[in-house]
Amino acid sequence: QVQLEESGGGSVQAGGSLRLSCVASTTIWWDRCMAWFRQTPGNEREGVAAIGSGGTMTYYADPVKDRFTISQDNAANTIFLQMNSLKPEDTALYYCARSNSECGRTWYSQTFNSWGQGTQVTVSS
């Protein structure tokens, strides 16, 4: 079982930036989908961004396109989420996750087998 640990969350004003990190306990394999999800109280977890094919393919949810960037450092077994132009509606608990499969077109609804504990992001207006 892969262990995932997120960091980098915090409080920021609208328009600001944060960079989330997720360190995996094992190698991030070429053919595994890694992703960021977020969740607010009373709501379902939603997909934010995903990365696959060794970092060559990236996918974004519409609300974060052109503001967030997902990337990975294979040597460090780490994925990142650079979040710019943050909005109050980005406030959520952000989770890192790994699937045992490659990213599909509907990556946000496929099975992710390993999850981190989450890191809180709070954006004030």
Side-chain angles (χ1 to χ4, degrees):
Q1 185 77 6
V2 176
Q3 304 298 318
L4 302 172
E5 183 172 357
E6 305 96 337
S7 62
S11 297
V12 64
Q13 289 193 327
S17 299
L18 284 173
R19 189 191 197 206
L20 305 184
S21 300
C22 171
V23 180
S25 60
T26 64
T27 301
I28 301 175
W29 296 107
W30 177 272
D31 57 350
R32 301 289 190 266
C33 186
M34 298 289 297
W36 289 96
F37 289 77
R38 65 187 182 187
Q39 189 172 24
T40 54
N43 294 307
E44 291 189 0
R45 198 174 294 180
E46 64 171 352
V48 175
I51 188 165
S53 298
T56 61
M57 296 295 292
T58 57
Y59 310 82
Y60 297 95
D62 286 342
V64 307
K65 279 181 182 176
D66 301 323
R67 298 190 298 122
F68 290 10
T69 302
I70 189 170
S71 61
Q72 70 183 55
D73 181 340
N74 292 331
N77 296 336
T78 302
I79 66 167
F80 303 97
L81 186 67
Q82 178 66 44
M83 306 186 295
N84 299 328
S85 302
L86 282 162
K87 304 175 181 180
E89 50 264 43
D90 294 317
T91 295
L93 188 60
Y94 283 71
Y95 296 91
C96 171
R98 193 190 87 150
S99 176
N100 286 345
S101 304
E102 182 56 277
C103 296
R105 279 188 63 190
T106 55
W107 56 271
Y108 42 86
S109 60
Q110 73 185 64
T111 298
F112 283 82
N113 308 89
S114 301
W115 293 84
Q117 294 299 307
T119 184
Q120 179 67 37
V121 171
T122 302
V123 184
S124 58
S125 57

